[in-house]
Amino acid sequence: MTVIRGDIEVAKNSDVIDHNIYPETEMLKKRLEWFQDLKLGVIFHYGLYAQAGIVESWQLSQKDEWARTGRAFRQDFKQLQLDYWNLISKFNPTQLDAKKWAKTCKEAGFKYCIFTTKHHDGFNMFNTMESEYKIGGKLSPFKRDILKEVFEAFRAEEMAIGAYYSKADWYSPFYWLDDETIKGRTASYDPTAHPEIWARYKEFVHRQIHEITHNYGTVDLLWLDAGWCGQGKEDLDMDQLAEIAREQQEELIIVDRMMGGRHENYVTPERKIPSYAEIPNKPWESNIPIGNDWGYVPSDTFKSSQELIETFVEVVAKGGNLILGVGPTPEGTFTKEETAILNDIGNWLKIYGHGIYETRAKVEGKISPWQLTYAKDETRHFAFCSINQLPKRIYLNEIKAQITDQLVDMKTGVRLKIYHENENAYLNVKDIELPKVGMIGIEIITH
């Protein structure tokens, strides 16, 4: 039987546009335009699960059997939990060089970075005062604040900054009670039956959001995960949480993932490119790991550079952004495979990026095998085609070009000759210089 991944949460009215006017409404109009210019981001899932070499922290949830099937950290579940919690004493990424991370990502063409401050396991990758279960704390051999180093390094490379934060916390005694009940991803008790416990948990979350948004400089994106927590029985008073987050981050974009409503400022389809029928009404961002898993797994297999470039261009041509997941090793380095892939993407973008960044989409359905992007001033557009799908002739109507347009090979900057066959005008693909990997690009300049 195929095991269905349980880390993909079901969206809850995420695509419904809220037409109410809020204090942040006008600000978000401008900020979401800015966000849509960025196109490519990197997301780091990093924590104790890297030391364990398992799929993030999901194995701790007894009800999430899918995460352990075929690759359990320990066969005995109680031993699994005990050994996982105790990884705090072993996780010691002494080779972590945030400046090197940032330089590599800058060269790869990333415009923003999202870093995991805390996954569902409750292990904090920043210097929180709310818990000793943290990097740099009394129980940790690594006496540095990773979040501070990463944010400062990526800002120095002029990238936007995002903080991933799980609203669930399986380490907290106010989320998972210290008893023998079988635990799943949700709170292990009914918060409506024990409001006094839940109130303490809500305050814990609010104080941590205060720390992240007040102690670490400018934060552009607050990426809230655990799309079962925050509303209904697990009410976190998201309006108040957002007020706290924006006290010092007045232009903060909040992504309350999969929850819909006021605080999901853009939507995040996971591990997929929306079909044309599924393209969201809101600004959106596909999030896709470079490998099969978000965090570091020693046995992981990686997507090819070719596939990822094609994925990126399709996302942009459909109007979205893309974040790629990178999982650093327990030592604090990128794998050789990730580094090679990022190098390929960066080299391709150095040539073709002017047809990607700050463009917009005109979603008209698939024009096989072409993907089209448009300059915002509509004086030009760009046509991309995989080097594995090239036709011998490129008919102008296929790339929405006119005979009076100027057509340029984006790799060489050379104007392309237009040929004629009866009433059909076309380009000869032999006149275009191919990149080593990825897609060719033609710039169509309208007169």
Side-chain angles (χ1 to χ4, degrees), residues 169-191:
D169 191 313
W170 299 337
Y171 192 80
S172 170
F174 308 121
Y175 196 79
W176 275 5
L177 299 183
D178 189 14
D179 57 26
E180 293 300 314
T181 60
I182 294 176
K183 308 294 195 294
R185 61 184 64 183
T186 61
S188 68
Y189 61 97
D190 182 349

mmCIF file of all heavy atoms in Angstrom, residues 169-191:
data_model
loop_
_atom_site.group_PDB
_atom_site.id
_atom_site.type_symbol
_atom_site.label_atom_id
_atom_site.label_comp_id
_atom_site.label_asym_id
_atom_site.label_seq_id
_atom_site.Cartn_x
_atom_site.Cartn_y
_atom_site.Cartn_z
ATOM 1 N N ASP A 169 3.344 22.972 19.235
ATOM 2 C CA ASP A 169 4.591 22.741 19.958
ATOM 3 C C ASP A 169 4.442 21.489 20.806
ATOM 4 O O ASP A 169 3.855 21.505 21.892
ATOM 5 C CB ASP A 169 4.920 23.944 20.851
ATOM 6 C CG ASP A 169 6.329 23.874 21.421
ATOM 7 O OD1 ASP A 169 6.711 22.799 21.926
ATOM 8 O OD2 ASP A 169 7.037 24.899 21.374
ATOM 9 N N TRP A 170 4.994 20.384 20.290
ATOM 10 C CA TRP A 170 4.806 19.093 20.950
ATOM 11 C C TRP A 170 5.672 18.934 22.198
ATOM 12 O O TRP A 170 5.455 18.000 22.972
ATOM 13 C CB TRP A 170 5.097 17.966 19.958
ATOM 14 C CG TRP A 170 4.186 17.981 18.769
ATOM 15 C CD1 TRP A 170 2.952 18.547 18.679
ATOM 16 C CD2 TRP A 170 4.446 17.398 17.487
ATOM 17 N NE1 TRP A 170 2.421 18.347 17.415
ATOM 18 C CE2 TRP A 170 3.313 17.654 16.668
ATOM 19 C CE3 TRP A 170 5.509 16.686 16.943
ATOM 20 C CZ2 TRP A 170 3.232 17.209 15.347
ATOM 21 C CZ3 TRP A 170 5.432 16.248 15.634
ATOM 22 C CH2 TRP A 170 4.302 16.499 14.840
ATOM 23 N N TYR A 171 6.603 19.829 22.406
ATOM 24 C CA TYR A 171 7.423 19.781 23.617
ATOM 25 C C TYR A 171 6.754 20.523 24.773
ATOM 26 O O TYR A 171 7.014 20.242 25.934
ATOM 27 C CB TYR A 171 8.798 20.386 23.344
ATOM 28 C CG TYR A 171 9.815 20.125 24.422
ATOM 29 C CD1 TYR A 171 10.475 18.906 24.499
ATOM 30 C CD2 TYR A 171 10.117 21.100 25.372
ATOM 31 C CE1 TYR A 171 11.418 18.655 25.487
ATOM 32 C CE2 TYR A 171 11.061 20.865 26.372
ATOM 33 C CZ TYR A 171 11.702 19.640 26.414
ATOM 34 O OH TYR A 171 12.630 19.389 27.390
ATOM 35 N N SER A 172 5.887 21.457 24.439
ATOM 36 C CA SER A 172 5.263 22.268 25.467
ATOM 37 C C SER A 172 4.289 21.447 26.314
ATOM 38 O O SER A 172 3.427 20.746 25.780
ATOM 39 C CB SER A 172 4.491 23.435 24.834
ATOM 40 O OG SER A 172 3.691 24.088 25.799
ATOM 41 N N PRO A 173 4.390 21.547 27.648
ATOM 42 C CA PRO A 173 3.445 20.832 28.521
ATOM 43 C C PRO A 173 2.048 21.419 28.464
ATOM 44 O O PRO A 173 1.114 20.843 29.031
ATOM 45 C CB PRO A 173 4.067 21.006 29.913
ATOM 46 C CG PRO A 173 4.838 22.281 29.819
ATOM 47 C CD PRO A 173 5.381 22.321 28.414
ATOM 48 N N PHE A 174 1.895 22.558 27.764
ATOM 49 C CA PHE A 174 0.575 23.158 27.613
ATOM 50 C C PHE A 174 -0.044 22.827 26.251
ATOM 51 O O PHE A 174 -1.151 23.275 25.953
ATOM 52 C CB PHE A 174 0.659 24.682 27.796
ATOM 53 C CG PHE A 174 1.358 25.076 29.062
ATOM 54 C CD1 PHE A 174 2.495 25.856 29.022
ATOM 55 C CD2 PHE A 174 0.897 24.632 30.295
ATOM 56 C CE1 PHE A 174 3.156 26.209 30.195
ATOM 57 C CE2 PHE A 174 1.558 24.976 31.472
ATOM 58 C CZ PHE A 174 2.688 25.768 31.419
ATOM 59 N N TYR A 175 0.685 22.038 25.436
ATOM 60 C CA TYR A 175 0.129 21.580 24.151
ATOM 61 C C TYR A 175 -0.040 20.058 24.174
ATOM 62 O O TYR A 175 -1.114 19.538 23.910
ATOM 63 C CB TYR A 175 1.019 22.015 22.990
ATOM 64 C CG TYR A 175 0.306 21.919 21.651
ATOM 65 C CD1 TYR A 175 -0.584 22.910 21.258
ATOM 66 C CD2 TYR A 175 0.513 20.833 20.802
ATOM 67 C CE1 TYR A 175 -1.262 22.822 20.043
ATOM 68 C CE2 TYR A 175 -0.160 20.746 19.591
ATOM 69 C CZ TYR A 175 -1.043 21.743 19.217
ATOM 70 O OH TYR A 175 -1.727 21.647 18.030
ATOM 71 N N TRP A 176 1.046 19.362 24.500
ATOM 72 C CA TRP A 176 0.950 17.928 24.787
ATOM 73 C C TRP A 176 1.093 17.757 26.291
ATOM 74 O O TRP A 176 2.167 18.015 26.848
ATOM 75 C CB TRP A 176 2.070 17.165 24.075
ATOM 76 C CG TRP A 176 1.787 16.784 22.655
ATOM 77 C CD1 TRP A 176 0.709 17.107 21.903
ATOM 78 C CD2 TRP A 176 2.636 15.974 21.821
ATOM 79 N NE1 TRP A 176 0.825 16.576 20.643
ATOM 80 C CE2 TRP A 176 1.995 15.870 20.567
ATOM 81 C CE3 TRP A 176 3.857 15.351 22.013
ATOM 82 C CZ2 TRP A 176 2.546 15.144 19.509
ATOM 83 C CZ3 TRP A 176 4.409 14.634 20.960
ATOM 84 C CH2 TRP A 176 3.760 14.525 19.718
ATOM 85 N N LEU A 177 0.017 17.338 26.925
ATOM 86 C CA LEU A 177 0.084 17.132 28.365
ATOM 87 C C LEU A 177 1.034 15.984 28.688
ATOM 88 O O LEU A 177 1.177 15.039 27.915
ATOM 89 C CB LEU A 177 -1.306 16.833 28.918
ATOM 90 C CG LEU A 177 -2.375 17.921 28.733
ATOM 91 C CD1 LEU A 177 -3.671 17.497 29.414
ATOM 92 C CD2 LEU A 177 -1.902 19.269 29.254
ATOM 93 N N ASP A 178 1.662 16.090 29.847
ATOM 94 C CA ASP A 178 2.609 15.063 30.281
ATOM 95 C C ASP A 178 1.833 13.892 30.891
ATOM 96 O O ASP A 178 1.803 13.698 32.111
ATOM 97 C CB ASP A 178 3.590 15.649 31.296
ATOM 98 C CG ASP A 178 4.722 14.691 31.623
ATOM 99 O OD1 ASP A 178 4.883 13.702 30.885
ATOM 100 O OD2 ASP A 178 5.439 14.947 32.604
ATOM 101 N N ASP A 179 1.191 13.129 30.019
ATOM 102 C CA ASP A 179 0.425 11.965 30.459
ATOM 103 C C ASP A 179 0.576 10.861 29.430
ATOM 104 O O ASP A 179 1.362 10.977 28.484
ATOM 105 C CB ASP A 179 -1.051 12.327 30.684
ATOM 106 C CG ASP A 179 -1.713 12.913 29.429
ATOM 107 O OD1 ASP A 179 -1.246 12.613 28.303
ATOM 108 O OD2 ASP A 179 -2.690 13.671 29.569
ATOM 109 N N GLU A 180 -0.151 9.790 29.580
ATOM 110 C CA GLU A 180 0.024 8.608 28.734
ATOM 111 C C GLU A 180 -0.939 8.566 27.556
ATOM 112 O O GLU A 180 -1.022 7.550 26.861
ATOM 113 C CB GLU A 180 -0.152 7.340 29.576
ATOM 114 C CG GLU A 180 0.950 7.140 30.620
ATOM 115 C CD GLU A 180 2.323 7.022 29.981
ATOM 116 O OE1 GLU A 180 2.476 6.282 28.986
ATOM 117 O OE2 GLU A 180 3.260 7.703 30.478
ATOM 118 N N THR A 181 -1.688 9.633 27.320
ATOM 119 C CA THR A 181 -2.597 9.625 26.179
ATOM 120 C C THR A 181 -1.800 9.539 24.876
ATOM 121 O O THR A 181 -0.679 10.055 24.781
ATOM 122 C CB THR A 181 -3.464 10.892 26.141
ATOM 123 O OG1 THR A 181 -2.609 12.040 26.041
ATOM 124 C CG2 THR A 181 -4.332 10.995 27.369
ATOM 125 N N ILE A 182 -2.369 8.882 23.881
ATOM 126 C CA ILE A 182 -1.725 8.792 22.565
ATOM 127 C C ILE A 182 -1.776 10.161 21.901
ATOM 128 O O ILE A 182 -2.845 10.770 21.777
ATOM 129 C CB ILE A 182 -2.431 7.730 21.691
ATOM 130 C CG1 ILE A 182 -2.227 6.344 22.313
ATOM 131 C CG2 ILE A 182 -1.894 7.765 20.266
ATOM 132 C CD1 ILE A 182 -2.973 5.237 21.586
ATOM 133 N N LYS A 183 -0.629 10.651 21.507
ATOM 134 C CA LYS A 183 -0.523 11.997 20.977
ATOM 135 C C LYS A 183 -0.562 12.001 19.443
ATOM 136 O O LYS A 183 0.046 11.150 18.789
ATOM 137 C CB LYS A 183 0.776 12.660 21.441
ATOM 138 C CG LYS A 183 1.036 12.617 22.957
ATOM 139 C CD LYS A 183 0.024 13.431 23.729
ATOM 140 C CE LYS A 183 0.490 13.678 25.166
ATOM 141 N NZ LYS A 183 0.571 12.466 25.992
ATOM 142 N N GLY A 184 -1.269 12.982 18.909
ATOM 143 C CA GLY A 184 -1.247 13.255 17.474
ATOM 144 C C GLY A 184 -0.729 14.655 17.248
ATOM 145 O O GLY A 184 -0.160 15.280 18.148
ATOM 146 N N ARG A 185 -0.952 15.189 16.077
ATOM 147 C CA ARG A 185 -0.386 16.503 15.764
ATOM 148 C C ARG A 185 -1.081 17.635 16.513
ATOM 149 O O ARG A 185 -0.516 18.697 16.718
ATOM 150 C CB ARG A 185 -0.426 16.756 14.259
ATOM 151 C CG ARG A 185 -1.814 16.760 13.654
ATOM 152 C CD ARG A 185 -1.753 16.931 12.149
ATOM 153 N NE ARG A 185 -1.069 15.801 11.508
ATOM 154 C CZ ARG A 185 -0.817 15.726 10.206
ATOM 155 N NH1 ARG A 185 -1.178 16.711 9.407
ATOM 156 N NH2 ARG A 185 -0.205 14.682 9.711
ATOM 157 N N THR A 186 -2.332 17.423 16.943
ATOM 158 C CA THR A 186 -3.081 18.476 17.614
ATOM 159 C C THR A 186 -2.789 18.484 19.110
ATOM 160 O O THR A 186 -2.090 17.615 19.632
ATOM 161 C CB THR A 186 -4.582 18.270 17.400
ATOM 162 O OG1 THR A 186 -4.956 17.001 17.964
ATOM 163 C CG2 THR A 186 -4.927 18.258 15.913
ATOM 164 N N ALA A 187 -3.350 19.463 19.814
ATOM 165 C CA ALA A 187 -3.248 19.495 21.274
ATOM 166 C C ALA A 187 -3.803 18.188 21.826
ATOM 167 O O ALA A 187 -4.794 17.654 21.326
ATOM 168 C CB ALA A 187 -4.024 20.685 21.827
ATOM 169 N N SER A 188 -3.180 17.675 22.894
ATOM 170 C CA SER A 188 -3.548 16.347 23.401
ATOM 171 C C SER A 188 -4.739 16.393 24.357
ATOM 172 O O SER A 188 -5.069 15.387 24.982
ATOM 173 C CB SER A 188 -2.352 15.702 24.105
ATOM 174 O OG SER A 188 -2.039 16.386 25.306
ATOM 175 N N TYR A 189 -5.365 17.548 24.437
ATOM 176 C CA TYR A 189 -6.549 17.716 25.286
ATOM 177 C C TYR A 189 -7.507 18.638 24.561
ATOM 178 O O TYR A 189 -7.151 19.254 23.539
ATOM 179 C CB TYR A 189 -6.157 18.313 26.641
ATOM 180 C CG TYR A 189 -5.510 19.680 26.529
ATOM 181 C CD1 TYR A 189 -6.241 20.851 26.701
ATOM 182 C CD2 TYR A 189 -4.150 19.802 26.213
ATOM 183 C CE1 TYR A 189 -5.648 22.104 26.572
ATOM 184 C CE2 TYR A 189 -3.557 21.045 26.087
ATOM 185 C CZ TYR A 189 -4.314 22.183 26.271
ATOM 186 O OH TYR A 189 -3.727 23.430 26.133
ATOM 187 N N ASP A 190 -8.705 18.754 25.055
ATOM 188 C CA ASP A 190 -9.700 19.654 24.471
ATOM 189 C C ASP A 190 -9.512 21.045 25.087
ATOM 190 O O ASP A 190 -9.820 21.253 26.264
ATOM 191 C CB ASP A 190 -11.108 19.126 24.768
ATOM 192 C CG ASP A 190 -12.194 19.994 24.145
ATOM 193 O OD1 ASP A 190 -11.874 21.096 23.662
ATOM 194 O OD2 ASP A 190 -13.367 19.562 24.171
ATOM 195 N N PRO A 191 -8.995 22.007 24.324
ATOM 196 C CA PRO A 191 -8.759 23.337 24.891
ATOM 197 C C PRO A 191 -10.020 24.004 25.423
ATOM 198 O O PRO A 191 -9.935 24.817 26.353
ATOM 199 C CB PRO A 191 -8.169 24.121 23.715
ATOM 200 C CG PRO A 191 -7.530 23.080 22.856
ATOM 201 C CD PRO A 191 -8.459 21.907 22.951
#
